[in-house]
Amino acid sequence: MEQRIIGADVTARLSQLDTCTLSDALDALGLTGVAVGPVPLWEGARLAGPAVTVKLAPGAPDDGLRRTHLGARAIDRARPGSVIVVDNGGRTEMGGWGGLLSLAASRNGVAGVVLDGACRDVDEARALGFPVFARCAVARTARRRVYEESTGEPVHIAGIPVGEGDLVVADGSGVVVLPQSRVLDVLAEAELLAAREQEMSARLKAGAPVGAVLGHGYESMIGNSPADEASSVVRGTR
């Protein structure tokens, strides 16, 4: 599948937003996209960019194609700023990414990797400043345990579908995936939410009572809950 080109301006705008705000924007739009499981494997790691996908499968390679080192094709085809997304089915008994891959990806301008599974050589990734998000760290190799089933095909990360070119943002709070078709909608909503939170933060710093700031206005920032919807109907306000 050919990777679509996402404008640098979109990625730059996403880089100014955290995953919590993007998650709220997804909620406001009735979308899913928060991948619960992968976390940063070194403090301060952060990434944002279009996905290049890899799917791993259990077992040993049985033909020439499968003898390609896992992740190598993704690194070769990734444009600078891309995020490599590795679906290892949540397996944590072996590393689905390692130090030599981090070195090669960093050299090629890849923004980072998100892995549904475990990663090894974390110290090497940290030394490179290469962001790695995974379920955990592990020392055991992937050799003869998993192989690369596909590159550039749809995958899942913690149950969230990821297509090649979908936008991936990750920081200290976790990982969010934004479908290409809704990126601009989510981005616009998230920027509005971020502006409102900045205003609330300014009020708190100025000494406003927390209850006055984090009252109904905060609770209604991303729309009414189902209970609120039902209550408003009963009151005849909708």
Side-chain angles (χ1 to χ4, degrees), residues 34-181:
V34 177
V36 180
V39 295
L41 294 191
W42 53 267
E43 185 71 24
R46 177 180 171 83
L47 59 79
V52 174
T53 57
V54 178
K55 183 172 178 60
L56 307 183
D62 56 14
D63 58 43
L65 178 63
R66 291 177 176 176
R67 291 185 184 278
T68 299
H69 193 291
L70 59 88
R73 283 193 290 265
I75 293 171
D76 286 341
R77 73 198 301 269
R79 293 184 172 90
S82 297
V83 174
I84 295 179
V85 175
V86 182
D87 178 356
N88 196 18
R91 289 179 282 269
T92 57
E93 61 270 27
M94 82 293 289
W97 188 268
L100 293 176
L101 291 172
S102 291
L103 174 60
S106 178
R107 179 201 65 191
N108 285 14
V110 173
V113 63
V114 174
L115 170 67
D116 192 5
C119 177
R120 67 185 205 149
D121 301 319
V122 175
D123 293 334
E124 295 179 34
R126 181 190 299 112
L128 289 165
F130 183 74
V132 176
F133 290 76
R135 289 185 178 268
C136 64
V138 69
R140 185 178 293 123
T141 181
R143 296 182 188 91
R144 297 179 296 280
R145 293 185 172 96
V146 293
Y147 65 90
E148 185 175 300
E149 182 176 87
S150 67
T151 302
E153 298 299 323
V155 299
H156 286 79
I157 295 292
I160 300 299
V162 186
E164 185 111 327
D166 286 346
L167 271 293
V168 181
V169 181
D171 58 21
S173 293
V175 178
V176 172
V177 179
L178 311 179
Q180 289 186 76
S181 61

Side-chain angles (χ1 to χ4, degrees), residues 11 32 123 170 220:
T11 302
T32 59
D123 293 334
S220 63

